[in-house]
Structures are given as structure tokens and as C-alpha cells.
Amino acid sequence: MRARLLGLLPLLLGACGPTGSASQAPPREQAAPRTTGLDDAAMARTVAAAARLPRLRSLIVLRDGATLAEHRFNGGPPLDWPVNIKSASKSVLSALVGIAIDRGVLEGVDQPVLSVLRADAPAAPDPRLARLTVGNLLSMQAGLERTSGEYYGRWVSSPNWVRFALARPFVDAPGGAMLYSTGNTHLLSAMLTRASGRSTHALAQDWLARPLGIAIPLWPRDPQGIFFGGNDMLMSPRALARFGELYRRGGVIDGRRVLPASWIERSWTPRTVSPWSGGQYGYGWFIGEARGHPVRFAWGYGGQMVYVLPDLALTVVMTSTSDGARDTGHVAALHALLADGIVPAAETGGGDAARPAL
């Protein structure tokens, strides 16, 4: 099996959880049911391949709003249990920023970061800091030295994460090359909190969790009480599927507009290129293709994935255990499950999926 999802290489995204025990066989109660809209034989082969991945914990496939496959692997928790989604949190933060702009809490993607966070800027800042915008943070084009990878531990050990991130030296101009950094999305969380007077968690409850009918439990905060922006959010696989469906459906769920359609379009517009893979990145979403089909996906360290394939009406969620080691092919194997298994099953599945409200 060979992955055809283009522009994808693992990123070192920061902290991670412990490795769980691995079992090669999926639980008996997860025998694949017959489905409409996916080829049964192709999906059976895909699920069998998924069961051989020791780090995989869940797989959910929806087509046109219908849940066509739900599986747990290797002792994974129930699909309604929240799990650490790692840097897939960045896609959720992007949604909150889009809603904040639509509601007037933030001014727009061209709003200077210091218009809200000036009190946390260095005493004698680099003049380029004044040019740093919300959009630069969303697209990982801040130009500031990264706080991810080898810099992550020093950042999260600092007494003030916001001040530490703003005090990083510039290694490129704002709007320049992609420098993947969780500090960027944490600055967005701080902006949301300061501009609204409410915590990022409270905004997530009101703007996403309640309208989507999902749970977003409390997740870690920095020493000043700002909820961690861009890492360690907790959502269940089914909640992630609901979030992916929000984007696939253009921002409307159950007849209610939750997210502006224009924000989805802006988020899925390529704005920068990964220095590792040459793959594209928008506002908190990676952009690629599988077997010629456009794919937009949220990506969390260790294999916490939300794939949206608009032209096939697919939303696919995969969650995995994280063990702190560099990726040894697991994420590539997840891309292969999608590109070489699920996509062909959708291409040849035939029939129309049922259309219940997710």
C-alpha cells in the first residue's frame, strides 16, 4: 500500500502522551456493517489494514453526513470519550478566530497582534513586531523564532508563555516563510481572551460545542490562565467528526450557521508551504490531495487526523496514541488508509448515502 496524499511529512509538534498497549485484532463487536456509499470489500480491506497499525485507536468515516464506519482498535476508548487531539487544536482555534471576526470581537486577519497584546510585548521590541498580524499567526508566517520542536520545552517552562512568544527574535519577516510554531496559536488564544473578556474555553463552549452538540472539556492553561492555544485540547472522535462536518457543510449544521462560509474558503486557501514536505497550509488547515481529490485536514501530533474531502462528501477521523518518539511511518500509514483504502471505496461504492443529521 502506498500513500498518494501529496505534500505530507510529519512535524515535531511538541508534547505527547504515553504509548498504549497494542493488540492486532479489532474487537469482535466492531465487525464492519454493510454500508451505502462505500464499497464493502474495499472497506473490509481498509479496516483490516487499520487493525494492523499498533498506534491507531479509532477510525470514523462519514459520507454525505451518514456515519458509514466506526471502529476502535488496540484497546482504544469509546468513541464518545475525549482524547488529546494535539495540534488538531490549531484547526479549532482557527474556527474560533473566524467566528470572533464575524462577531466583531476581533477586527480581521490584518489586525495587528499588538493592538490587543501590547502589554506583553518586550520593552524595546523589534519594529517588525508592530507589523505582525492575526493572519500571520494563523498561516504560521509570524517570522518569529519557533516555540515548537527543539524550542518547545523552554517555552512551556517559561513563567509567561505570551511574553516569551512575543520576545522571540525574528528569523524572517512577518508574512515570510512558514515557521510552524504553537506559540503563534497560543497568541491567538490570548487575543481571543483579552478581546472578549472571556476564556477561550468559554468561547469554545458557546461558539462550537453547544451549537454542534459536542463536548469540549477543560484543557490545560498557561501560568496566566490562558487556555493552551493550539495543543492539548480534548475532543472525542465523534466530536471531531462533527467538527469536520461543519467545514464540509460550509459552516451550517442542523440548519444553523455556526461558521461563516467565507472563513472556510479563506482557511482552505493555500498561503504558505511547509519547509519539510513542500505541502501547502492555510489558516490552521493542511491542504493536499488523495488520488486527485482535494483534501483539507487537521493534523495533530502522533496521528490525530480530521480529513475533509468535499468532492466525495467524505469526513474521516483517525485518532492514535502518541509516544514522544519521532514518527516512524504511522502518519504516512494513516494517509495511505485514506488514499489507498477509503477514497477508492468511495469512488466505487455506488448508491447514495443516507442523509441523517449528524
Side-chain angles (χ1 to χ4, degrees), residues 60-84:
I60 300 178
V61 182
L62 295 91
R63 190 167 198 191
D64 206 13
T67 301
L68 302 184
E70 288 189 323
H71 299 274
R72 292 188 293 134
F73 304 99
N74 306 307
L79 298 177
D80 284 325
W81 283 24
V83 298
N84 189 335

Side-chain angles (χ1 to χ4, degrees), residues 23-279:
S23 170
Q24 296 300 316
R28 180 179 301 175
E29 70 271 18
Q30 293 163 35
R34 287 194 59 81
T35 60
T36 304
L38 293 176
D39 180 86
D40 291 320
M43 278 305 298
R45 291 191 296 270
T46 301
V47 172
R52 293 191 291 270
L53 300 178
R55 292 170 58 184
L56 187 62
R57 293 294 179 265
S58 72
L59 169 65
I60 300 178
V61 182
L62 295 91
R63 190 167 198 191
D64 206 13
T67 301
L68 302 184
E70 288 189 323
H71 299 274
R72 292 188 293 134
F73 304 99
N74 306 307
L79 298 177
D80 284 325
W81 283 24
V83 298
N84 189 335
I85 66 172
K86 297 297 187 180
S87 283
S89 308
K90 292 176 172 63
S91 303
V92 180
L93 257 290
S94 176
L96 293 177
V97 169
I99 297 170
I101 291 172
D102 185 59
R103 293 176 176 234
V105 174
L106 296 177
E107 297 170 8
V109 294
D110 295 326
Q111 181 178 0
V113 172
L114 293 189
S115 66
V116 177
L117 300 182
R118 185 173 298 278
D120 288 305
D126 186 306
R128 288 173 287 189
L129 194 61
R131 304 203 304 269
L132 182 64
T133 67
V134 168
N136 296 150
L137 298 179
L138 286 165
S139 62
M140 298 295 170
Q141 293 175 287
L144 295 165
E145 179 184 80
R146 299 170 64 230
T147 58
S148 293
E150 65 268 34
Y151 305 99
Y152 182 85
R154 190 159 56 100
W155 173 49
V156 296
S157 298
S158 69
N160 189 312
W161 296 5
V162 172
R163 291 182 180 177
F164 187 96
L166 289 173
R168 294 308 85 214
F170 277 89
V171 296
D172 199 352
M178 181 180 182
L179 295 165
Y180 190 94
S181 178
T182 301
N184 292 348
T185 40
H186 191 64
L187 291 177
L188 291 171
S189 181
M191 291 188 74
L192 288 168
T193 297
R194 303 276 171 77
S196 69
R198 305 175 67 205
S199 74
T200 303
H201 178 260
L203 299 179
Q205 293 300 305
D206 285 352
W207 294 353
L208 287 176
R210 290 192 183 97
L212 295 182
I214 63 175
I216 303 180
L218 294 169
W219 69 92
R221 288 175 278 184
D222 73 8
Q224 284 65 50
I226 302 295
F227 280 87
F228 201 168
N231 197 6
D232 289 348
M233 289 185 74
L234 302 172
M235 293 174 67
S236 72
R238 285 183 177 141
L240 286 173
R242 183 81 163 169
F243 177 71
E245 278 290 284
L246 174 66
Y247 273 76
R248 188 190 67 79
R249 297 183 181 197
V252 175
I253 287 279
D254 299 336
R256 175 179 179 180
R257 176 156 299 283
V258 178
L259 184 65
S262 59
W263 185 253
I264 298 173
E265 181 180 359
R266 298 181 81 169
S267 299
W268 286 356
T269 297
R271 300 182 183 278
T272 187
V273 175
S274 167
W276 291 276
S277 68

